[in-house]
Amino acid sequence: SITIALSLVSHTNVGKTTLARTLLSQDVGEVRDATHVTEFADEHVLVALPDGDTLALWDTPGFGDTARLTRRLRGTERPLGWLLSQVWDRVADRPFWATQQALRHVRERSDVVLYLVNAAEEPAAAGYVAPEMELLAWIGKPVIVLLNQLGAPRPPADEAADVERWRAHLTAQGAPVRDVLPMDAFARCWVQELTLLRRVEQALPDGERRQAMARLAQAWQQQRERQFDAALDMLEDCEIAPED
């Protein structure tokens, strides 16, 4: 059996746990308007097949103070090794400690990183993105950027313009990004979610893992179609016949 691990990663307090709840349809984790609420990487099953193949979604601690951290790392001979070998106090050095926890998880467990950004900000104003992309580049796992907090539904052309603006900004910075997709943590959209799973499939190396991901995405789609059909049946059962 094969497990595909998707890891939600972002700057602290951008919405990882909220998105995990939306994708899983479960009240997992803790959501508060505070930094570094998630302390450890938590695994949740998104899809499981009878043959044992599994799609796992991980919620990770949020990055913090990454601009200062990357400045320190650039002066070291082996930046990633130095970062992961340091011993930081969980309370006094919480931003560095949480960043270390997230990166250690990505290096050891992730197949694809889902990096969440606050799309309500202009790309150039989100100063945390560049150093965090630099950290992820040192690990070398595929990264898909998800645009959160896009606001109320808008014409497709407006949403596509936001995606392209972020894509151009990330490309100009040389960020190690495979794709950029809209994915609001507060509004469930099965079309966006299926698109994400198909892009994850494309980001994986060709072979058994990509084939397993294709089967998992197909199973996810079938589950959602059954849910949709069941909801329609329920609506039909609740209809009140017109009076004579």
Side-chain angles (χ1 to χ4, degrees):
S1 61
I2 295 174
T3 296
I4 306 296
L6 309 181
S7 299
L8 286 169
V9 173
S10 78
H11 200 69
T12 184
N13 206 28
V14 169
K16 295 186 309 300
T17 301
T18 300
L19 179 57
R21 289 182 169 197
T22 298
L23 295 174
L24 293 160
S25 299
Q26 299 177 34
D27 286 339
V28 299
E30 182 180 359
V31 176
R32 286 189 285 114
D33 187 13
T35 59
H36 302 295
V37 174
T38 301
E39 292 191 314
F40 300 98
D42 296 322
E43 182 183 20
H44 309 281
V45 175
L46 193 59
V47 185
L49 300 181
D51 64 3
D53 288 350
T54 303
L55 181 61
L57 182 70
W58 288 82
D59 186 15
T60 69
F63 289 148
D65 204 2
T66 44
R68 185 161 64 97
L69 179 59
T70 51
R71 284 197 298 271
R72 291 178 62 177
L73 289 172
R74 291 184 195 122
T76 64
E77 185 176 342
R78 295 175 56 253
L80 184 61
W82 181 88
L83 171 62
L84 297 181
S85 66
Q86 292 302 299
V87 178
W88 278 302
D89 186 274
R90 185 174 161 188
V91 176
D93 299 313
R94 195 168 185 79
F96 285 0
W97 180 87
T99 301
Q100 182 190 56
Q101 297 299 308
L103 289 173
R104 181 173 288 134
H105 159 79
V106 168
R107 185 187 67 166
E108 296 175 356
R109 303 299 297 270
S110 299
D111 287 293
V112 177
V113 176
L114 307 180
Y115 180 82
L116 195 63
V117 298
N118 178 4
E121 298 180 281
E122 284 297 317
Y128 58 87
V129 173
E132 290 168 12
M133 284 292 159
E134 187 173 350
L135 292 174
L136 291 172
W138 285 331
I139 295 178
K141 298 293 180 74
V143 177
I144 296 176
V145 171
L146 304 181
L147 305 186
N148 184 31
Q149 301 182 40
L150 284 168
R154 295 169 301 153
D158 292 345
E159 188 174 272
D162 281 337
V163 170
E164 288 308 311
R165 182 161 61 252
W166 275 94
R167 191 192 306 277
H169 178 73
L170 293 164
T171 300
Q173 292 183 332
V177 173
R178 295 291 186 90
D179 219 326
V180 181
L181 301 173
M183 185 65 63
D184 199 301
F186 298 95
R188 168 137 242 181
C189 178
W190 289 349
V191 173
Q192 289 183 352
E193 292 172 31
L194 181 58
T195 299
L196 169 61
L197 297 185
R198 296 302 187 193
R199 300 296 174 83
V200 167
E201 177 188 339
Q202 295 169 13
L204 292 168
D206 197 8
E208 289 186 350
R209 301 190 76 74
R210 183 179 288 189
Q211 294 168 15
M213 186 63 212
R215 294 192 297 271
L216 289 160
Q218 182 64 29
W220 182 94
Q221 183 176 5
Q222 291 171 351
Q223 289 175 7
R224 297 300 172 262
E225 289 172 351
R226 287 195 294 269
Q227 289 178 352
F228 182 76
D229 291 341
L232 286 180
D233 292 342
M234 186 178 297
L235 287 174
E236 291 175 359
D237 291 342
C238 291
E239 287 182 356
I240 301 175
E243 297 182 359
D244 292 336

